[in-house]
Amino acid sequence: MNARLALLGTVTPGATESEVFRLALGHAVGELGALGGTVHLRGPMSALRLVSSAGLPAALTRSWEIVDQEGPLAPARALQQGKGVWVPLPQNPSEGTPWPGTGLAALPVFSGRRGIGALTVLAGEQGEPTPRHWDFLRDLVAWTEDRLAQAPPPSRPPHTEPNRARLRHALKEVRVGSWDWGIRSGELVWDEAALELYGTRPADFSGRVEDWMRIVHPDDLAPTLAAVDRAITGHGVFEAEYRVRRPDGTWSWTRARGRATYDERGEPLRMIGVGWESNESRTARDALSRALRHMSDGFLAVDDEWRITFANLEAERFLGFSEEELFGRLLWDLPATRQVPGLKESCLKAGAGEKSTGFDVYIADCRRRLHVRLVPGPDGRTLYFQDVTEKRRLAQERQAAERAAAERAVRIAELTTELAKATTSRDVVEAVARRVLPPFAASGLMVQVSEGDRLHHVGAVGYPRDFVALLDSRRRSATGDPAWDTIASGLPLFLSSAREYATRYPELADFPALGEKKSWAFLPLTASGHTFGVCVVSFDRPRLLDDEERALLTTITALVAQSLERARLYDAEHTRSRELQRSLLPQALPDLPACTAAARYLPAGQGADVGGDWYDIIPLSGGQVALVVGDVMGHGLPEAATMGRLRTAVHTLADLELAPDEILGHLNDIVGGMSEASYATCLYALYDPTTRVCSIARAGHPPPALVRPDGTVHFPAPDADPPLGAAKPPFETTELEVPEGSLLVLYTDGLVESATREIDEGMAELARLLGAAHADGTAVDLERLCDTLTAGLLPADQQAADDAAFLVARLHALPADRMAAWALPDDPRAASLARRHVREQLAAWGLDDLSPTTELLVSELVGNVVRHARGPVRLRLLHTTELVCEVYDGSQTMPRIRHAADTDEGGRGLQLVSALSTRWGARYTPTGKCIWTEQSLRAPAEPADLLFLNPADFDEDWEALL
């Protein structure tokens, strides 16, 4: 016989399981010259638990503490095959801590015919065991199986009481943990008491039965598992006492009882039970029993039929009987339990589930709320009940406070978002009113900023208008003022009642009543280290804000101050931009015989920058009038400046008496020379009251609306050329014959187009409004018509994204009896004939006082044409608010005024024309040119050196005479 086996044979039967495992591993390693070895025992489900090891460090065996018996590891293979196996170790493992040695030799361990574990040896350089070594290992395992059968059960703390009585005392003396094990799935549920009992932190609990196997003492695992098997197979009660490892490494005795449940086929489903500590001394047990007896929470134990087996003092007080009187009574027969609505139903429902359950019940008579916890056990159930009335009230208050705080935080986040978007001071005030007042149940808000020794109003909500006006621009009070005190100190001031306000500021004691407020929070507005104003949050009832609310309001005000400071800078810049833009627009429209007009410029909505829309009316010669409207694309000061430059250019070009298409051509060159990003649209209309013809040219601009005297509205339909800066001349010109009294409406796209309305829809609405205004007589008053169009197309309650401008002009023709024209011969007789026509026509118009001056002007103009130009020659007089004299010829040469020297014989004719007329000029015509003069209808004083002259006595060349 092998010497080692002989030595083991001397071991006295009755050695503990751990001693048997230690001896077996020691001799196996020594005989084979191996590096180490392990022993695993079968646990619940398909798990093998490491119960003993020799020669192997913890870092190596940690991954083998629980082994899947269906897996590929050596202990599992030995159990699967029921014989010894050899598993070579990989030379270059891909993951995990590499095992030294060459391989693992494992043999199954049996108890009768049932495999209960495996013994495994880690071989060194010698490799797989020889046949002799395999024989030794089999004999060693046989010795181990024999000694395990003779091993004594674990020694337990002494018990002298019957089993049921011991259980009852345990339930009375210690905290009981409940557990629920899913036999098929391996899931394990421990309540809080069980986690504490078994020394497991919630974070380390995986909810698997392996958690329990890891903490059981190796000597106790096999008999405990055997007790589980017996209870399941015999449909009996599981009861066991075993040691568990505590977090500090010590071992503690625990006791457990449970019972399995089965499906309709009799297969086990779950095992539910309780556990408690069982190694306390009698003194400790007595102390725990007294503590349970006198604890403030009620405690009841009932059997499977809900008959009371134990009750502590609190339960006795609640039920109204002593423990002796309660023992054996049915819980539902007691008057106290019948007065609790839903108690029986809730308990029965919880008990049927065989799970630990908690629920609240409400006792209306005494307005108490109890929390009941029911824990199922093998021989009945335990009930804990606690008065949670105050706890639930505090919890509800805490939840309400948390909801309020959460809602407040959401509003503050919303406020921060809105303040980030706020552009103007008005935006800031409105954002604070929406986001700050509701969460604090405030009713008023006022924001003021200091300028010198005065406080100026920025915005207010919830105050009477008269009170706001009273506070606006108030001087600093010598007797004290809460707003000024807050600004001076830079610290918030909280006044919780009107009495406190009046006591602190007696001179302002009437302000609370005038403002209709009863408590206030004066909060400084500080930005960049400078306090520039105050934000007042007020309430319509006395209110003492707590520290959290005060801190929150102070924090909010810091955000408001930053936003308001930024908004004030924007307001100032925006105001300057608006003033600049308005200064570039016409300050007043001229009153002309050819048209009466009204106009509007409508800036974009709040927060938008200035735009480049403009309109203009330019009086020209011969009673003509130019109507202009334009739009520089974009918003900002550069666009406003571009608008001013274009308006000036239009005036200059119009004074040159150029045709509409030529004017747009020059404007296109100007815009094209500015920058690649500069574009503008423009519509130029030239109206001649003598012919009632309106010539229109447009570059990328909407067509004008023509309202005829019968009320019909017409939009001229020629295609618009591209915008200025992108177009290529020539531009198309459209000529319209305009009936007397017609309306011509020029507008920019901002009037008829928006994000919600296409331009065609806007033009249709414009036509409808114009037709309706003509029908109801509103169009008679052009100012009222402008208001109607503004209200209909740009309502005040809708913020416009683009600015708009429009011009409404009523066009008037010059009556035929106010015009006279004559053809003149192209010879020296033309001047004399022209003077005669002038005398006769002015006499017919009753303007005899203007005849001498006009004859001089006509003589000079006609004489110049005869001498320097060519025919045909034509004379025309127009009687408007001024007297217009026009001389036409067939030459394209323009006259130029120059300074004549003393020795020059000529060159003074145009100087004479300039001196005698209000203004004069020349313009091109399709067949030549026209030289014109304008005279006031009031006869001017004649020059002293010309009073002796009588134009009727001379038919010679006036320039030769002079």
Side-chain angles (χ1 to χ4, degrees):
M1 175 181 290
N2 184 286
R4 293 182 181 276
L5 292 175
L7 181 61
L8 290 173
T10 63
V11 176
T12 305
T16 64
E17 292 181 349
S18 59
E19 181 68 14
V20 171
F21 295 149
R22 184 183 66 81
L23 291 171
L25 285 177
H27 285 285
V29 171
E31 179 69 18
L32 273 67
L35 301 178
T38 63
V39 174
H40 287 79
L41 290 183
R42 187 197 298 267
M45 306 298 295
S46 59
L48 293 174
R49 158 77 188 280
L50 177 66
V51 296
S52 185
S53 66
L56 300 178
L60 203 61
T61 60
R62 187 172 295 114
S63 62
W64 274 37
E65 286 187 356
I66 301 295
V67 173
D68 184 1
Q69 69 182 36
E70 304 297 334
L73 297 182
R77 290 190 184 183
L79 271 178
Q80 294 166 12
Q81 299 179 21
K83 63 180 181 178
V85 297
W86 167 252
V87 180
L89 290 174
Q91 296 302 312
N92 297 305
S94 60
E95 59 182 25
T97 303
W99 283 63
T102 57
L104 296 165
L107 292 92
V109 178
F110 288 87
S111 175
R113 293 185 178 182
R114 181 174 178 270
I116 62 171
L119 183 146
T120 307
V121 178
L122 175 62
E125 295 180 356
Q126 72 277 7
E128 183 178 359
T130 65
R132 184 178 63 83
H133 286 155
W134 278 115
D135 291 340
F136 169 80
L137 290 175
R138 294 186 187 96
D139 292 340
L140 181 64
V141 168
W143 175 86
T144 302
E145 294 170 346
D146 179 67
R147 290 298 187 268
L148 285 178
Q150 301 178 42
S155 59
R156 296 171 171 80
H159 297 297
T160 59
E161 306 172 25
N163 187 49
R164 183 171 293 276
R166 189 163 66 249
L167 173 60
R168 180 174 177 184
H169 270 286
L171 292 174
K172 293 177 64 175
E173 296 164 5
V174 298
R175 188 176 184 187
V176 178
S178 60
W179 47 266
D180 186 342
W181 170 40
I183 297 175
R184 295 180 181 177
S185 64
E187 294 181 357
L188 181 65
V189 178
W190 283 346
D191 65 5
E192 182 179 350
L195 288 170
E196 181 179 350
L197 173 67
Y198 297 128
T200 302
R201 295 180 301 176
D204 298 333
F205 183 63
S206 65
R208 304 290 301 175
V209 72
E210 287 81 358
D211 291 324
W212 174 79
M213 291 177 61
R214 288 190 179 95
I215 63 171
V216 178
H217 194 285
D219 290 349
D220 302 342
L221 182 60
T224 304
L225 293 176
V228 171
D229 287 340
R230 287 193 300 271
I232 293 175
T233 57
H235 291 236
V237 175
F238 160 68
E239 183 172 5
E241 197 165 11
Y242 50 88
R243 287 162 290 180
V244 296
R245 184 173 60 244
R246 308 296 297 174
D248 60 1
T250 62
W251 297 92
S252 174
W253 282 98
T254 63
R255 189 167 182 82
R257 284 176 62 86
R259 184 185 292 275
T261 62
Y262 304 85
D263 60 16
E264 62 277 3
R265 298 189 303 273
E267 296 296 326
L269 292 176
R270 296 161 49 219
M271 178 174 281
I272 302 170
V274 294
W276 62 92
E277 193 173 6
S278 61
N279 59 353
E280 297 89 349
S281 65
R282 173 59 61 185
T283 302
R285 292 179 182 231
D286 292 343
L288 287 172
S289 179
R290 287 193 300 271
L292 182 62
R293 177 71 176 163
H294 295 88
M295 65 186 244
S296 59
D297 295 345
F299 179 82
L300 279 174
V302 297
D303 59 18
D304 291 337
E305 297 179 354
W306 297 92
R307 297 188 179 277
I308 299 173
T309 58
F310 173 81
N312 69 352
L313 292 176
E314 178 62 24
E316 293 175 5
R317 281 192 291 269
F318 174 72
L319 298 175
F321 297 95
S322 66
E323 183 180 13
E324 291 74 15
E325 294 173 321
L326 291 172
F327 189 83
R329 296 190 63 177
L330 189 63
L331 180 62
W332 319 124
D333 290 344
L334 300 175
T337 58
R338 291 199 298 266
Q339 295 176 3
V340 181
L343 176 62
K344 180 178 179 180
E345 293 76 7
S346 299
C347 288
L348 291 176
K349 181 179 179 181
E354 293 294 333
K355 285 186 177 182
S356 299
T357 309
F359 52 89
D360 283 5
V361 294
Y362 181 70
I363 307 174
D365 292 346
C366 56
R367 296 184 178 180
R368 295 174 61 193
R369 186 173 295 277
L370 300 180
H371 179 71
V372 180
R373 181 168 173 262
L374 186 145
V375 179
D379 300 316
R381 298 164 182 83
T382 57
L383 289 90
Y384 305 81
F385 56 90
Q386 179 185 20
D387 188 341
V388 293
T389 305
E390 185 66 14
K391 182 178 180 180
R392 293 291 186 265
R393 185 186 66 81
L394 294 175
Q396 290 176 353
E397 292 179 356
R398 183 173 63 256
Q399 291 174 358
E402 290 173 353
R403 285 195 300 269
E407 182 179 354
R408 193 178 300 136
V410 170
R411 289 186 178 272
I412 298 310
E414 293 173 346
L415 171 64
T416 303
T417 302
E418 287 207 25
L419 289 179
K421 298 177 181 178
T423 305
T424 66
S425 299
R426 179 181 175 185
D427 294 339
V428 173
V429 173
E430 290 177 350
V432 175
R434 283 194 303 270
R435 302 303 181 187
V436 176
L437 298 189
F440 288 93
S443 61
L445 172 71
M446 182 175 292
V447 178
Q448 294 181 303
V449 295
S450 60
E451 295 182 8
D453 61 346
R454 293 180 180 273
L455 279 178
H456 291 280
H457 176 69
V458 175
V461 174
Y463 282 94
R465 186 173 300 175
D466 295 342
F467 183 70
V468 174
L470 173 65
L471 295 185
D472 192 15
S473 300
R474 286 185 68 250
R475 288 184 177 276
R476 184 195 298 262
S477 174
T479 58
D481 183 291
W484 279 111
D485 289 352
T486 300
I487 295 173
S489 66
L491 299 174
L493 173 63
F494 300 95
L495 301 175
S496 59
S497 65
R499 177 179 296 180
E500 183 180 359
Y501 190 109
T503 302
R504 187 158 184 168
Y505 301 101
E507 297 293 330
L508 306 177
D510 58 338
F511 273 27
L514 294 175
E516 301 176 0
K517 298 293 179 282
K518 296 182 179 179
S519 56
W520 303 261
F522 291 86
L523 306 165
L525 295 173
T526 304
S528 303
H530 168 63
T531 301
F532 62 89
V534 61
C535 175
V536 185
V537 177
S538 55
F539 307 85
D540 54 10
R541 59 183 176 84
R543 174 80 182 275
L544 181 61
L545 298 171
D546 58 32
D547 293 340
E548 180 185 353
E549 291 174 320
R550 294 185 178 193
L552 188 56
L553 279 174
T554 304
T555 302
I556 289 172
T557 309
L559 297 174
V560 174
Q562 296 290 338
S563 299
L564 189 60
E565 181 74 359
R566 184 180 67 249
R568 292 177 68 205
L569 293 175
Y570 174 84
D571 288 342
E573 182 70 19
H574 194 65
T575 300
R576 287 193 292 269
S577 301
R578 292 286 191 204
E579 291 174 352
L580 171 63
Q581 185 189 43
R582 291 194 179 279
S583 68
L584 296 175
L585 291 171
Q587 303 304 303
L589 296 177
D591 187 10
L592 303 174
C595 74
T596 53
R600 293 287 187 274
Y601 171 74
L602 305 167
Q606 194 77 10
D609 211 341
V610 294
D613 291 23
W614 91 93
Y615 58 87
D616 218 336
I617 294 182
I618 306 172
L620 301 175
S621 64
Q624 297 181 105
V625 60
L627 308 173
V628 191
V629 66
D631 181 6
V632 178
M633 298 182 184
H635 293 84
L637 282 178
E639 285 71 18
T642 300
M643 177 267 286
R645 295 171 63 185
L646 292 180
R647 181 168 176 255
T648 301
V650 170
H651 268 269
T652 302
L653 295 171
D655 285 341
L656 295 177
E657 305 274 6
L658 299 178
D661 59 329
E662 294 183 43
I663 289 179
L664 291 187
H666 287 294
L667 290 178
N668 184 66
D669 294 338
I670 293 173
V671 174
M674 290 180 179
S675 68
E676 294 182 358
S678 295
Y679 297 99
T681 65
C682 182
L683 187 151
Y684 187 96
L686 178 63
Y687 176 64
D688 188 347
T690 64
T691 61
R692 293 187 291 106
V693 172
C694 184
S695 301
I696 300 172
R698 57 193 179 105
H701 206 85
L706 178 63
V707 185
R708 296 188 175 93
D710 60 359
T712 58
V713 181
H714 170 64
F715 291 97
D719 294 334
D721 289 295
L724 300 175
K728 293 183 179 180
F731 289 87
E732 182 179 358
T733 300
T734 301
E735 292 188 349
L736 301 175
E737 184 174 346
V738 181
E740 165 64 24
S742 297
L743 285 178
L744 190 65
V745 182
L746 284 66
Y747 53 90
T748 61
D749 59 354
L751 182 70
V752 294
E753 186 178 26
S754 67
T756 60
R757 182 175 59 199
E758 296 292 336
I759 189 169
D760 292 341
E761 298 173 358
M763 291 172 61
E765 180 64 14
L766 172 62
R768 188 190 68 78
L769 292 172
L770 290 172
H774 181 276
D776 61 17
T778 303
V780 174
D781 185 342
L782 297 186
E783 292 294 336
R784 285 184 60 197
L785 177 59
C786 287
D787 294 339
T788 300
L789 296 180
T790 301
L793 294 170
L794 298 172
D797 59 345
Q798 297 181 12
Q799 181 165 302
D802 192 11
D803 51 348
F806 64 93
L807 175 67
V808 180
R810 188 179 302 281
L811 303 180
H812 305 288
L814 186 64
D817 60 358
R818 292 298 184 98
M819 296 184 291
W822 303 272
L824 299 176
D826 188 9
D827 57 43
R829 294 179 298 111
S832 174
L833 185 60
R835 288 194 297 273
R836 185 167 63 251
H837 290 320
V838 167
R839 282 195 302 270
E840 293 172 353
Q841 187 62 50
L842 293 185
W845 285 341
L847 301 176
D848 299 277
D849 293 340
L850 298 179
S851 183
T853 304
T854 307
E855 289 183 54
L856 287 175
L857 291 172
V858 168
S859 293
E860 174 60 30
L861 296 178
V862 173
N864 279 340
V865 168
V866 172
R867 173 175 293 186
H868 302 293
R870 65 175 181 269
V873 182
R874 189 163 61 93
L875 171 65
R876 186 169 73 162
L877 294 180
L878 303 177
H879 182 191
T880 63
T881 54
E882 294 178 322
L883 180 62
V884 179
C885 177
E886 298 176 336
V887 176
Y888 295 82
D889 63 51
S891 172
Q892 294 285 329
T893 303
M894 285 292 178
R896 291 182 298 169
I897 191 170
R898 61 187 178 88
H899 182 73
D902 293 340
T903 58
D904 290 344
E905 295 182 357
R908 297 177 179 82
L910 292 181
Q911 294 181 20
L912 176 65
V913 171
S914 179
L916 294 179
S917 61
T918 303
R919 65 179 187 136
W920 73 280
R923 65 176 182 270
Y924 288 107
T925 65
T927 59
K929 68 175 179 296
C930 170
I931 305 174
W932 54 267
T933 64
E934 290 182 0
Q935 298 169 259
S936 173
L937 295 182
R938 293 177 299 174
E942 296 180 352
D945 54 350
L946 296 176
L947 291 177
F948 67 94
L949 296 175
N950 183 1
D953 297 334
F954 297 92
D955 290 332
E956 296 87 5
D957 186 346
W958 282 89
E959 184 170 315
L961 176 66
L962 295 174

